[in-house]
Amino acid sequence: MIESYLPILIQALIASGFAGVTLLLSVMLGKSSKRNAMKDSAYECGMLPLGEAQPRFSVKFYIVAMLFVLFDIEVVFMYPWAIIFKDYVNTIGHDIFWSMMGFVSILLVAFIYAWKKGALRWDN
Amino acid sequence: MGSFLDSINLAFLIASAVKIVFFAFMVILPMVAYSVYLERRISAIIQDRVGPNRTGIPLTLLGFKKDSHIFGIGGLVQPLADGLKFLLKEDFTPAHVNKFYYWLAPAIVMVPALLTAAVIPFGSELDLSWLTKIGVDGAWLHKPIKLVIADLNVGPLFTFAIASLGVYGIVLAGWSSNSKYSFLGGVRSSSQMISYEIALGLSIVPVLMIFGDLNLSKITEYQDANGWLLFPAWGKGAPWENGWHFGRWALLVPVFISFIIFTVSMFAETNRAPFDLPECETELVAGYHTEYSSMKFALFFMGEYAAMIIGSGLAVTLFLGGWSIPFAPWLGLDYKAGATPAWLGLAHIACFLAKVVCFIVFFIWVRWTLPRFRYDLLMKLGWLVFFELALANVILTAALLMYFKI
């Protein structure tokens, strides 16, 4: 079983090698010219940057990240359930459906709470 | 450890290496290069322009008397010229960046994009036993080679897991560039990608319920024999087999909804228009890769197109039968385990690539047709429409499978 992951290891090595070699090639082949203060500034051909480059940003991005972790685990949890669903329903019974409905409805309550709290509002 | 090493045979390793080099470097990378060219040509046609059409091979540089346009009909060598240009441009690292992460980010975008190709079956199997007739010999020739790099039992899960690593590259690029444009682009992009990943993951749960398998090769073989998921016109999957079966017609509804959600989420996941807010030119110059130039920029660019190609490959494999030829069992072109002739194996590869190319043209067409979304609408669509719809779709599929006992 584990040896079926071996090609993935090889491919990871080859892909990293490819990225590394292309980066290296561009360093070796690329022209280099003198640096100056203007060229080193952020977004050289645009306006001069004002203020710090990494300003504080909206807390909404953090909330989205937290909700993502929560609901992505739900999705991953559904995969094994989905795989056995058909066989289970045809051989054992319908309780597999109702147990997942219970799980989803609990998460849905949490989702509706987040929604009503305004965690998913981006237009204000 | 010893027993583990013993279980690996050399033929398996060589076969995997050949498949990796063939699929990742002789199929995916040229496809990346030519889908950029295709994008430029198609956008030109849509906007009533000509596009890059005159790049030829500069034979005068090699000592010939005249330049030739024979090899570059319609600018076909444009991708080669672009690639050379990327290599020869100044490799500039601005002084204000965080050097280590600035260099790491493009590689982190490119590597997962290539790595996800490992589980996509790009053909059925290739029979190599004809090689014995021309003098090559070996025990490994007598077993047909399966045309998938790693035949994992967790196919789509692996793809999503690895593809989402690309978010790290984008966040690192945005953060390490120390520029406001890059920073905002990176934050926006990561937020968008993780939001749509949920819809993407949920949208294929109904598909998995219907197949009852996570192995992409088995899913494709099933579709080859029983009709594609979106086009069940033959085999056991056809609604008219075994009497007219209403359940099979009804099952097309959730499959179609799944396909729509999957495709749209794929657009958002690869940062393609109409969801290309991370690199929204009018606001953010070029988003997270504003500060990048030469090959480092090219790696982001190639990573985006590679992700698009793999996404198309996954969509084709799950919904449109992968390498399966339409009406294969009627035409006698279906896959027979261990007995597929070599020409049919090649035909399957061609069929897979043809489907992927159609999908890429669709991607490009959409990009040059639809205007860009507003950010609040994008998040609303992801969280309040697609998430709900995908969840309802799972329940609908479950109810249909339960009611009709398909």
Side-chain angles (χ1 to χ4, degrees), chain B residues 197-217:
Chain B
E197 210 164 293
I198 294 177
L200 193 70
L202 263 181
S203 72
I204 69 155
V205 170
V207 177
L208 301 178
M209 283 162 85
I210 292 168
F211 288 129
D213 208 321
L214 264 172
N215 185 317
L216 286 173
S217 316

Side-chain angles (χ1 to χ4, degrees), chain B residues 220-299:
Chain B
T220 318
E221 280 161 28
Y222 179 86
Q223 291 186 79
D224 191 43
N226 299 323
W228 304 348
L229 199 56
L230 263 179
F231 184 55
W234 59 88
K236 265 198 313 187
W240 48 82
E241 293 288 321
N242 308 324
W244 283 76
H245 200 316
F246 179 71
R248 297 205 181 282
W249 287 110
L251 213 53
L252 279 177
V253 175
V255 166
F256 191 68
I257 298 174
S258 269
F259 181 65
I260 300 284
I261 298 175
F262 185 87
T263 314
V264 177
S265 304
M266 194 57 83
F267 281 109
E269 198 69 6
T270 48
N271 293 326
R272 294 278 302 181
F275 305 112
D276 59 345
L277 288 124
E279 40 192 300
C280 177
E281 297 95 332
T282 43
E283 297 164 23
L284 293 176
V285 189
Y288 53 87
H289 51 60
T290 304
E291 299 290 322
Y292 282 89
S293 58
S294 79
M295 206 62 209
K296 293 202 281 302
F297 166 74
L299 282 185

Side-chain angles (χ1 to χ4, degrees), chain A residues 26 35 40 43 50 54 86, chain B residues 93 96 175 180 210 291:
Chain A
S26 111
R35 315 176 76 99
D40 271 333
Y43 188 36
L50 290 175
Q54 287 164 1
K86 213 156 96 174
Chain B
T93 310
H96 56 87
W175 172 79
K180 272 182 193 162
I210 292 168
E291 299 290 322

Side-chain angles (χ1 to χ4, degrees), chain A residues 13-34:
Chain A
L13 291 176
I14 293 181
S16 330
F18 170 74
V21 165
T22 44
L23 285 177
L24 196 70
L25 266 181
S26 111
V27 173
M28 291 189 329
L29 297 177
K31 276 206 178 86
S32 56
S33 57
K34 280 210 171 116

Side-chain angles (χ1 to χ4, degrees), chain B residues 350-382:
Chain B
C351 188
F352 175 75
L353 293 181
K355 286 180 197 172
V356 171
V357 168
C358 290
F359 224 85
I360 289 168
V361 171
F362 173 66
F363 259 83
I364 293 169
W365 193 349
V366 167
R367 172 166 176 187
W368 296 95
T369 306
L370 298 179
R372 188 174 288 135
F373 258 60
R374 222 168 64 200
Y375 201 71
D376 62 313
L377 292 180
L378 171 95
M379 294 308 258
K380 209 171 171 180
L381 184 72

